[in-house]
Amino acid sequence: MNDLVRQHTALSDTDLEWLHLLVSEWQLLSDLSFADLVLWVPTRDGTRYVSVAQMRPNTGPTSYQDDMVGHLVPRGRRPLLDAALDEGRIVREGDPEWREEVPVRVESIPVRREGRVLGVIARNTNLLTVRTPSRLELTYLQSASDLAQMIAAGSFPFPGQQVDMDASPRVGDGLVRLDADGVVQYASPNGLSAYHRLGLASDLVGQHLGKITAELAPSRGPVDEALVKLASGYAPREFEVECAGGVIQLRAIPLKPKGVRIGSLVLLRDVTELRRRERELITKDATIREIHHRVKNNLQTVAALLRLQSRRMDSPQGREALNEAVRRVGSIAIVHETLSQNLDERVEFDEIADRVIAMVSEISPGKVTCRRTGRFGILDAEVATPLAMVLTEVLQNALEHAFGVAESGTVEVSAVRGGSPAEGRLLITVQDDGCGLPEGFDPQRAGNLGLQIVRTLVEGELGGSFGMVPAPGRGTQVILDVPVSADK
């Protein structure tokens, strides 16, 4: 819609926002009308109309088998559009049109904002299955007529009340029509069932919906006046009522076809099962976070035991081997600690990388500075855990072998995210300015345990590639190329 409006029309950005607000709400009008809706906007030169949005009803057959969005129609070909745009009124005159042997009643509703008509909604009703309407259908049609008059007057949609139609109640979920005093004139079967779920034992018709709702909602004190007003439909609001029997989501829509509130529509949806599942997910998330927290504690306990054991060893080589094991366990513990603080199994790896760098820097023999550039981004847990171990091994190797006891230098870790969202890549470079690689060194065949761990994790578990080459100028450069999912 943005592209069509900006390409063909002279509407401002605020006018476009109004159309977006209307389109977010007009499923309600389509369902109540049992009709298709097409939004036509006059072009910049005023000689044509362009269709910028379309909606089909969930409550009846469609009048358009094809997509109408983007069609251009010359002014004069559809007189009802011209009349609604020029006169600023709802136009219903004319005989039904025949489209592919289907009679269609066409009406035009002007879309008004701050006294200006921005466009016209063509309401097209398939008359092939017309029959004597029921009380439910008559209530739908009367409510649709009231909403259409509000659109023509510029009082609907409500400014600042953009609705998520996927999450809000719809017409078929349950509908209650109130008069100006908040008394129920009609309740659909689904709407009545929703209130029976809350504990209502009688009929809704003739009852004051606000007072009934407040009585059914659990309360230990006086009647909640705010809830009474909300359920009476005095203002456009969306809220939930919960009791022992269930949870009902309500959306109130005041009806002001001529500027004065004549009543309200209240849409209802029974969300008891949905809320129960949400609570189960929250409980599962809390359980998973608690598991990560306990794993982190256990790993820290293992690291502490290894540290104690290393202090009791007389062999320097054995002591160093245990200290390396402590750092490996610690890198895994850092990942689990981060996961214990998240709501999902994805982590911001930059924080983990900084903590790994700080942990490994403690073994620096001289004045070696470690720093990070670039951004790792958000990674899945199954990538973050082995990658933390790989980063630990590579940094540990650089600090142990690249610099002498009293030497100073720099180790830089850089990360670059790239590739398409479907096939993302993470390129990691660890570069030092130390003594460089020994003559004839082959990283793919070296027997060092740390490099064996790096090769196994990068190539086997992460499905990436690992390389170690002389750095430009001086030192060594380790290059890791790892496939990762999109950084959302």
Side-chain angles (χ1 to χ4, degrees):
M1 187 166 73
N2 287 349
D3 295 338
L4 289 171
V5 168
R6 288 168 179 156
Q7 179 182 354
H8 295 286
T9 77
L11 296 182
S12 65
D13 288 342
T14 52
D15 293 334
L16 180 57
E17 284 301 318
W18 183 262
L19 296 185
H20 274 293
L21 192 62
L22 172 66
V23 169
S24 74
E25 294 271 24
W26 71 343
Q27 180 74 64
L28 175 64
L29 177 63
S30 178
D31 290 345
L32 290 173
S33 304
F34 309 99
D36 291 75
L37 305 178
V38 180
L39 178 57
W40 297 93
V41 180
T43 57
R44 191 174 287 104
D45 57 8
T47 61
R48 295 180 297 175
Y49 298 96
V50 57
S51 58
V52 298
Q54 179 180 0
M55 179 58 66
R56 292 183 173 90
N58 293 318
T59 52
T62 183
S63 302
Y64 288 110
Q65 298 298 327
D66 299 326
D67 189 3
M68 294 296 296
V69 175
H71 282 216
L72 290 165
V73 173
R75 185 178 172 88
R77 179 175 295 180
R78 300 194 177 185
L80 296 186
L81 293 181
D82 298 339
L85 183 68
D86 297 338
E87 302 172 20
R89 65 180 180 89
I90 299 176
V91 182
R92 296 191 178 93
E93 296 89 351
D95 297 327
E97 296 181 3
W98 287 83
R99 298 176 186 165
E100 300 178 356
E101 300 184 354
V102 175
V104 177
R105 182 174 65 242
V106 181
E107 305 167 80
S108 295
I109 305 167
V111 178
R112 192 183 303 272
R113 174 182 176 268
E114 296 181 353
R116 296 167 44 245
V117 177
L118 306 182
V120 179
I121 294 177
R123 181 164 57 174
N124 305 273
T125 307
N126 187 325
L127 301 178
L128 194 61
T129 57
V130 169
R131 53 184 174 77
T132 303
S134 64
R135 177 75 187 280
L136 172 69
E137 293 167 332
L138 289 173
T139 303
Y140 278 19
L141 293 171
Q142 180 58 53
S143 302
S145 177
D146 294 336
L147 284 177
Q149 292 182 55
M150 292 171 65
I151 292 173
S155 57
F156 186 84
F158 304 108
Q161 293 288 326
Q162 189 160 357
V163 175
D164 181 1
M165 291 306 300
D166 291 332
S168 295
R170 298 195 178 193
V171 171
D173 296 327
L175 178 142
V176 176
R177 172 85 185 222
L178 309 179
D179 63 14
D181 297 323
V183 176
V184 177
Q185 294 179 312
Y186 175 79
S188 71
N190 284 346
L192 186 59
S193 296
Y195 266 81
H196 285 167
R197 184 71 177 265
L198 289 179
L200 180 68
S202 60
D203 195 4
L204 268 177
V205 177
Q207 305 262 26
H208 190 282
L209 188 67
K211 295 179 180 178
I212 285 292
T213 304
E215 290 174 2
L216 293 174
S219 174
R220 297 180 181 178
V223 173
D224 189 343
E225 294 294 335
L227 183 57
V228 172
K229 284 190 170 292
L230 286 174
S232 300
Y234 286 98
R237 293 289 185 273
E238 192 170 312
F239 57 99
E240 290 186 1
V241 177
E242 182 173 2
C243 66
V247 184
I248 305 300
Q249 185 181 16
L250 298 94
R251 184 188 174 203
I253 304 171
L255 297 176
K256 303 177 182 179
K258 297 182 179 179
V260 178
R261 194 174 70 87
I262 62 169
S264 304
L265 279 182
V266 178
L267 304 180
L268 308 140
R269 175 187 287 174
D270 186 347
V271 293
T272 305
E273 187 65 19
L274 179 63
R275 296 295 176 260
R276 183 186 66 81
R277 291 180 180 177
E278 287 178 352
R279 291 190 184 100
E280 287 181 354
L281 288 174
I282 291 172
T283 302
K284 289 179 181 178
D285 288 341
T287 302
I288 291 172
R289 291 200 300 274
E290 177 62 23
I291 290 171
H292 283 303
H293 182 72
R294 294 187 181 186
V295 170
K296 182 264 297 183
N297 289 344
N298 291 338
L299 289 172
Q300 289 180 337
T301 301
V302 172
L305 292 173
L306 291 173
R307 196 176 293 112
L308 287 173
Q309 185 67 36
S310 71
R311 292 172 184 171
R312 294 174 176 269
M313 292 196 70
D314 297 328
S315 170
Q317 292 180 341
R319 188 182 305 114
E320 182 57 32
L322 286 176
N323 287 334
E324 288 181 2
V326 167
R327 287 187 287 272
R328 288 166 184 149
V329 172
S331 65
I332 303 175
I334 290 173
V335 177
H336 283 282
E337 182 179 3
T338 305
L339 288 169
S340 69
Q341 300 168 0
N342 290 351
L343 294 177
D344 55 15
E345 291 292 291
R346 292 167 66 83
V347 295
E348 179 63 60
F349 196 79
D350 292 332
E351 177 187 351
I352 294 174
D354 291 340
R355 294 181 62 180
V356 167
I357 291 171
M359 177 183 68
V360 178
S361 297
E362 296 176 358
I363 69 169
S364 175
K367 298 179 180 179
V368 179
T369 302
C370 294
R371 62 171 179 262
R372 173 180 63 86
T373 60
R375 181 173 176 272
F376 287 86
I378 298 174
L379 300 177
D380 294 330
E382 57 265 26
V383 175
T385 302
L387 188 58
M389 286 194 65
V390 168
L391 190 58
T392 301
E393 296 298 333
V394 172
L395 286 171
Q396 191 168 279
N397 189 70
L399 292 174
E400 285 183 355
H401 302 292
F403 305 99
V405 176
E407 288 184 344
S408 62
T410 302
V411 178
E412 182 175 312
V413 180
S414 68
V416 178
R417 294 292 286 263
S420 65
E423 187 181 352
R425 310 291 299 184
L426 175 60
L427 183 64
I428 306 166
T429 304
V430 181
Q431 181 171 323
D432 64 69
D433 54 2
C435 61
L437 295 173
E439 187 71 25
F441 180 80
D442 184 0
Q444 299 299 329
R445 296 183 179 181
N448 181 288
L449 176 60
L451 291 181
Q452 289 182 13
I453 292 174
V454 171
R455 286 197 301 269
T456 301
L457 291 177
V458 172
E459 297 173 357
E461 189 163 344
L462 295 176
S465 61
F466 159 69
M468 180 180 287
V469 296
R474 185 172 185 264
T476 304
Q477 192 178 69
V478 176
I479 302 172
L480 308 171
D481 188 358
V482 178
V484 294
S485 60
D487 188 359
K488 300 180 182 179

